[in-house]
Amino acid sequence: MSMWRVLRRHMKVFRRIWWTNTMFNFIEPLLYMTAMGFGLGIYVTDIGGISYAQFIAPGFVASSGMWASTFECTYGTFVRLQYEKTLHAMLAGPLTVRDVVWGEVLYATVKSFFYGAVILAVIALLGMVQSWWSLLILPFLALPGMVFALLALSYTGFIRNIDHINYYITLFSTPVYLFSGIFFPLDTLPFWGQAAAWFNPLYHSVEVCRALVLGQPSSDLAPHIGVLVIWIVLLSLLPVKLMRKRLIS
């Protein structure tokens, strides 16, 4: 399909800038891990029989994928759309809006996978990975990567000013990050808070990553995977519709 041509074009660009992109996504989670896992973690009792550092480490694998998809399909896509006019140029060839949009989604998903793999390697080097089951995280990251790409791309297709992306990061991405179960068990929240967590895609990603890192795969993970699939199905048409209004007007 033509969307693979879009992905191939983006990957050619990524090969030129992968080092600077990777280092940013490598350093930030490492700083969080050091400050909270090894700093604050000294004062936090074990959670579920594991240290605080071991508890939060898998969450950084999940969140790095989320941030990769989010930034690529907000700032990255907006620049290609509004300033560089790259997406408009693509439509001059044998491509449709759907091809362009899903090419963007696939590229963000690949970056989500790539950065998640980097952080997984980091926590493995720090001795936080307890099972070979953690390798299943790599294909799994495609699901949350695609969810957050679709969400971010839908928002980008709606806004007209790049500064509006700050609202998305502050009012959506940051609360999703803080209340995803990375830093504390969500069973400490009131019932309504625990119920709301099921609408948080990152929460499901964190739960799967944590279980696989700890070597605790079970059928309990199926609902988390199912919710992510539902998110993808529900969002699959929205960014295409919104971006069509921006690209063909």
Side-chain angles (χ1 to χ4, degrees), residues 81-82 85 87-88 91 96-98 101 153-154 156-160 237-249:
L81 171 68
Q82 190 73 15
K85 302 297 182 181
L87 305 188
H88 293 81
L91 293 179
T96 65
V97 173
R98 184 183 300 275
V101 168
L153 200 57
S154 297
T156 301
F158 176 76
I159 62 174
R160 298 285 176 169
L237 298 178
L238 181 59
V240 176
K241 180 179 180 180
L242 293 171
M243 292 296 284
R244 181 175 285 115
K245 294 179 179 179
R246 298 291 304 277
L247 291 169
I248 303 177
S249 60

Side-chain angles (χ1 to χ4, degrees), residues 28-40:
E28 186 179 22
L30 187 60
L31 291 175
Y32 271 102
M33 187 69 202
T34 303
M36 305 197 69
F38 301 116
L40 178 63

Side-chain angles (χ1 to χ4, degrees), residues 15 54 117 195 203 208 238 247:
R15 282 198 293 269
Q54 290 175 313
Y203 161 69
V208 173
L238 181 59
L247 291 169

Side-chain angles (χ1 to χ4, degrees), residues 143 147 150 222-236:
L143 291 179
V147 171
L150 290 167
H224 297 296
I225 296 173
V227 169
L228 292 173
V229 172
I230 291 173
W231 268 106
I232 293 172
V233 173
L234 293 178
L235 292 169
S236 60

